[in-house]
Amino acid sequence: MTTFSLASLDQLHKAFETAKEAQKEWGKTKPEERLEILKKAGGLSCFVESY
């Protein structure tokens, strides 16, 4: 069985602000490059055939 802690409200706000900032750069990334990044991050090789 696994346990995990909940984030504080401050941590939640920081996570949202960080994600909003990261989205600016991610949005400029070409779809092909995003695919390669996601494949490396999560082993999403199943997307290769459908892309």
Side-chain angles (χ1 to χ4, degrees), residues 31-32 34-40 42-51:
E32 298 85 0
R34 290 183 201 175
L35 175 63
E36 291 304 315
I37 292 168
L38 291 173
K39 282 174 27 183
K40 288 178 186 175
L44 300 176
S45 59
C46 61
F47 283 90
V48 174
E49 297 298 325
S50 63
Y51 187 78

